[in-house]
Amino acid sequence: MKLLVRNEDAKNALQCLHNGNENGLKFFYQRFYDYFRFRAHRATDDECTGESIAQEAFLRLWLFRENVNSETELFEFLKSQVKSAINAFFQKSRNRFHRSLLRLDGIEDYQEFLLGYELEEEPEVDILYLEQLELEKKSN
């Protein structure tokens, strides 16, 4: 496959990835995401599942970024992640497969992966205030 052209941009991106800089992941994401999404979509015949498989492969790449030493290894890592996810898709029921995908809240210190992005916070409910309102309604 001719996607593996050696150049300085790829080397710099790999170094950024090793250092935990998200620009390195962004470089490879832009370079390979469409390819892996297409492969997963074609294999599963489900666009949403194909996208989920490709996204999870890149999340796993981020988790194991220190173990990848070349662009070829990175490509092979993504390829094996997508292939094993496709196999899992056909071995499990659809619901079990989707439940087995990585969830951010299942990862220790998942806020670190968000790199400054803030989650929407749920409004706090003042239970004491609500109880007081209920007591006032009952007394009236």
Side-chain angles (χ1 to χ4, degrees), residues 62-102:
W62 181 255
L63 293 172
F64 294 103
R65 66 187 176 273
E66 295 168 355
N67 300 329
V68 179
N69 298 314
S70 70
E71 187 179 4
T72 304
E73 284 182 20
L74 183 141
F75 185 82
E76 290 301 320
F77 176 82
L78 290 171
K79 185 175 165 183
S80 70
Q81 293 299 309
V82 169
K83 185 177 180 179
S84 63
I86 290 169
N87 289 337
F89 176 78
F90 289 108
Q91 291 174 355
K92 298 178 180 180
S93 70
R94 190 172 295 254
N95 287 337
R96 281 185 54 217
F97 172 77
H98 286 289
R99 283 193 307 253
S100 72
L101 293 175
L102 283 176

Side-chain angles (χ1 to χ4, degrees), residues 2-95:
K2 210 57 174 157
L3 289 172
L4 301 175
V5 176
R6 296 276 182 225
N7 60 31
E8 284 301 311
D9 290 340
K11 290 179 183 176
N12 291 337
L14 190 60
Q15 188 61 40
C16 286
L17 185 65
H18 271 278
N19 294 334
N21 184 337
E22 66 184 44
N23 288 329
L25 181 65
K26 180 181 176 184
F27 176 84
F28 293 111
Y29 184 88
Q30 290 173 339
R31 191 168 192 169
F32 297 130
Y33 175 76
D34 287 335
Y35 172 76
F36 287 113
R37 181 185 47 81
F38 174 76
R39 285 187 63 170
H41 177 206
R42 187 176 65 189
T44 61
D45 200 30
D46 183 352
E47 187 174 345
C48 182
T49 300
E51 289 175 0
S52 296
I53 287 172
Q55 291 285 348
E56 183 174 18
F58 280 94
L59 179 57
R60 288 182 186 273
L61 172 63
W62 181 255
L63 293 172
F64 294 103
R65 66 187 176 273
E66 295 168 355
N67 300 329
V68 179
N69 298 314
S70 70
E71 187 179 4
T72 304
E73 284 182 20
L74 183 141
F75 185 82
E76 290 301 320
F77 176 82
L78 290 171
K79 185 175 165 183
S80 70
Q81 293 299 309
V82 169
K83 185 177 180 179
S84 63
I86 290 169
N87 289 337
F89 176 78
F90 289 108
Q91 291 174 355
K92 298 178 180 180
S93 70
R94 190 172 295 254
N95 287 337

